[in-house]
C-alpha cells in the first residue's frame, strides 16, 4: 500500500512538472528573445541571453511605435468607461433579478444565457450596421458601447452574492421610506464590493486582451489600442522575432502584474459566484 502511494505521488509530481513546463516554456522563450539581438536569436533561440540587461529591442520599440502616446491612453480610456458602465449595469440587473419576482424574470435570465452561447461572429453584420447608424464607427466610443453590456458571468457572480445579503435589510429600509434606488445604491451596491472587484478584474483583462472589436470598429491609426498596436507592429517586423517578443513582453507586463497582485480576488469571486 505504501509502495503504491509512492508511485502515485511520483506520477503526480511528474505530471505537475510537465504541466508547469508546458505553461512556462512559451513565456520563457518570448522573454529571452526580447533580450537578444537578431543575430543572437537566430544563432541560439532557446539559450539564455548573453546579456540580460540588453534593452536595445525596447529602445527601438519606444522610438518606432506610439504605445505610450496613443495605444495605452486609448486602452485606458476604453477600460475605465466600459468597466464602470459594466459594473453599474451588472449590479442593477442582478438587483432586479435577485430581489424581485415578476412574470418575465425567467425569460430575461434565459435570454442572457442564450446570448452567451451565440457565437459573436454570427451577429457582427447586424451589430456593425447599428454602429454605423449611430455614427460610432471609427470612433473611440465604439468599443465602449459594445463592452458596456453586462455579460452572463458577471450577472451570475452578482446574483450569488445578492442571495447572501439578508432581505431584512431591504425591509428595514422600506419601513423608513427609502426608495428602491436608494436601497440599491446605499445598501446593495456597497455589499457587492467583493464581487465588483472580481468582475472589474475579469473585464479589465478581457478588454485589454481583446483584438477583434478594436480591429473591426477602429481602423484609424490614432485609435489603435495595445492589441491592434502589436498587430500593426508585426507586419513590417515579421522577420525580427526579437523585436516582436519585446513588444509582447511590454504589452503583457501590466496585465501580469494586475493578475499576480489581485488573483486572490478573482478566485474568491468566481468560487463564491459559481453556478452548478
Amino acid at each position: 500500500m505504501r509502495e503504491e502511494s509512492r508511485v502515485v505521488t511520483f506520477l503526480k509530481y511528474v505530471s505537475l512538472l510537465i504541466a508547469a513546463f508546458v505553461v512556462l516554456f512559451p513565456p520563457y522563450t518570448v522573454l529571452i528573445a526580447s533580450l537578444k539581438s537578431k543575430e543572437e536569436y537566430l544563432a541560439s533561440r532557446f539559450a539564455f541571453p548573453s546579456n540580460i540587461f540588453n534593452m536595445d529591442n525596447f529602445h527601438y520599440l519606444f522610438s518606432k511605435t506610439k504605445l505610450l502616446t496613443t495605444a495605452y491612453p486609448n486602452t485606458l480610456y476604453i477600460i475605465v468607461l466600459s468597466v464602470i458602465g459594466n459594473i453599474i449595469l451588472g449590479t442593477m440587473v442582478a438587483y432586479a433579478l435577485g430581489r424581485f419576482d415578476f412574470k418575465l424574470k425567467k425569460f430575461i435570465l434565459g435570454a442572457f444565457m442564450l446570448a452567451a452561447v451565440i457565437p459573436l461572429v454570427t451577429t457582427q453584420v447586424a451589430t456593425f450596421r447599428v454602429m454605423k447608424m449611430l455614427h460610432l464607427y471609427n470612433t473611440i466610443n465604439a468599443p465602449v458601447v459594445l463592452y458596456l453590456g453586462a455579460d452572463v458571468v458577471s450577472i451570475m457572480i452578482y446574483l450569488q452574492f445578492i442571495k447572501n445579503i439578508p432581505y431584512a435589510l431591504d425591509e428595514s429600509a422600506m419601513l423608513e421610506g427609502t426608495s428602491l434606488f436608494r436601497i440599491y445604491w446605499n445598501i446593495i451596491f456597497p455589499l457587492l464590493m467583493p464581487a465588483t472587484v472580481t468582475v472589474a478584474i475579469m473585464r479589465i483583462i478581457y478588454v485589454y486582451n481583446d483584438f477583434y472589436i478594436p480591429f473591426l470598429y477602429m481602423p484609424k491609426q490614432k485609435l489603435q489600442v495595445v492589441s491592434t498596436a502589436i498587430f500593426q507592429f508585426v507586419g513590417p517586423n515579421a522577420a525580427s522575432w526579437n523585436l516582436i517578443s519585446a513588444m509582447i513582453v511590454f504589452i503583457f507586463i501590466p496585465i501580469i502584474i494586475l493578475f499576480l497582485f489581485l488573483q486572490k480576488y478573482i478566485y474568491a469571486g468566481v468560487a463564491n459566484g459559481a453556478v452548478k
Side-chain angles (χ1 to χ4, degrees):
M1 189 68 178
R2 184 175 301 175
E3 187 67 25
E4 182 180 353
S5 63
R6 289 180 179 177
V7 173
V8 172
T9 303
F10 173 77
L11 293 176
K12 178 174 65 176
Y13 280 106
V14 169
S15 62
L16 289 174
L17 288 173
I18 294 174
F21 175 80
V22 171
V23 172
L24 296 177
F25 186 72
Y28 164 78
T29 58
V30 172
L31 179 61
I32 63 172
S34 68
L35 302 174
K36 294 180 178 181
S37 64
K38 185 176 181 179
E39 293 74 16
E40 184 181 3
Y41 174 77
L42 294 175
S44 56
R45 296 187 178 184
F46 303 124
F48 208 71
S50 58
N51 181 14
I52 62 174
F53 300 104
N54 179 22
M55 297 287 113
D56 292 343
N57 296 329
F58 295 96
H59 292 159
Y60 178 86
L61 192 67
F62 297 143
S63 63
K64 298 296 183 179
T65 66
K66 298 181 179 180
L67 274 176
L68 297 179
T69 58
T70 302
Y72 271 113
N74 289 342
T75 304
L76 183 62
Y77 173 85
I78 294 170
I79 286 176
V80 170
L81 291 186
S82 59
V83 170
I84 291 175
N86 190 266
I87 290 172
I88 293 175
L89 291 176
T91 52
M92 286 183 173
V93 170
Y95 175 60
L97 293 175
R99 279 302 202 241
F100 306 107
D101 291 322
F102 48 92
K103 292 183 179 180
L104 297 178
K105 178 177 178 178
K106 293 183 178 180
F107 173 79
I108 293 174
L109 191 57
F112 274 108
M113 299 296 293
L114 179 63
V117 300
I118 297 177
L120 182 65
V121 67
T122 61
T123 60
Q124 280 308 306
V125 174
T127 304
F128 189 85
R129 292 181 62 184
V130 171
M131 300 300 288
K132 289 279 287 186
M133 183 182 64
L134 296 175
H135 303 287
L136 291 174
Y137 176 72
N138 238 345
T139 68
I140 197 170
N141 293 316
V144 173
V145 172
L146 294 174
Y147 291 139
L148 276 179
D151 63 341
V152 177
V153 175
S154 302
I155 293 174
M156 291 303 173
I157 291 175
Y158 280 129
L159 281 175
Q160 295 303 314
F161 272 84
I162 285 180
K163 289 180 180 179
N164 295 326
I165 299 176
Y167 191 72
L169 296 175
D170 300 48
E171 294 176 338
S172 300
M174 290 178 185
L175 290 175
E176 295 180 3
T178 307
S179 64
L180 294 177
F181 180 78
R182 288 289 301 276
I183 294 173
Y184 156 76
W185 187 252
N186 293 336
I187 298 176
I188 302 298
F189 188 78
L191 293 176
L192 289 176
M193 191 55 62
T196 298
V197 173
T198 302
V199 170
I201 296 170
M202 294 173 63
R203 295 302 293 175
I204 288 172
I205 295 174
Y206 172 77
V207 174
Y208 189 87
N209 292 335
D210 186 36
F211 168 77
Y212 182 75
I213 289 178
F215 179 74
L216 180 62
Y217 292 98
M218 298 192 308
K220 287 183 180 179
Q221 287 287 332
K222 65 178 182 179
L223 296 178
Q224 65 177 205
V225 294
V226 291
S227 57
T228 54
I230 189 173
F231 176 78
Q232 295 171 6
F233 181 79
V234 167
N237 299 281
S240 303
W241 277 99
N242 56 317
L243 297 177
I244 296 174
S245 298
M247 183 79 159
I248 295 173
V249 169
F250 186 76
I251 285 178
F252 279 100
I253 283 176
I255 210 68
I256 291 173
I257 294 175
L258 177 71
F259 180 80
L260 290 177
F261 280 95
L262 301 178
Q263 60 178 318
K264 62 179 181 180
Y265 297 105
I266 301 176
Y267 297 146
V270 172
N272 291 330
V275 181
K276 293 183 179 181

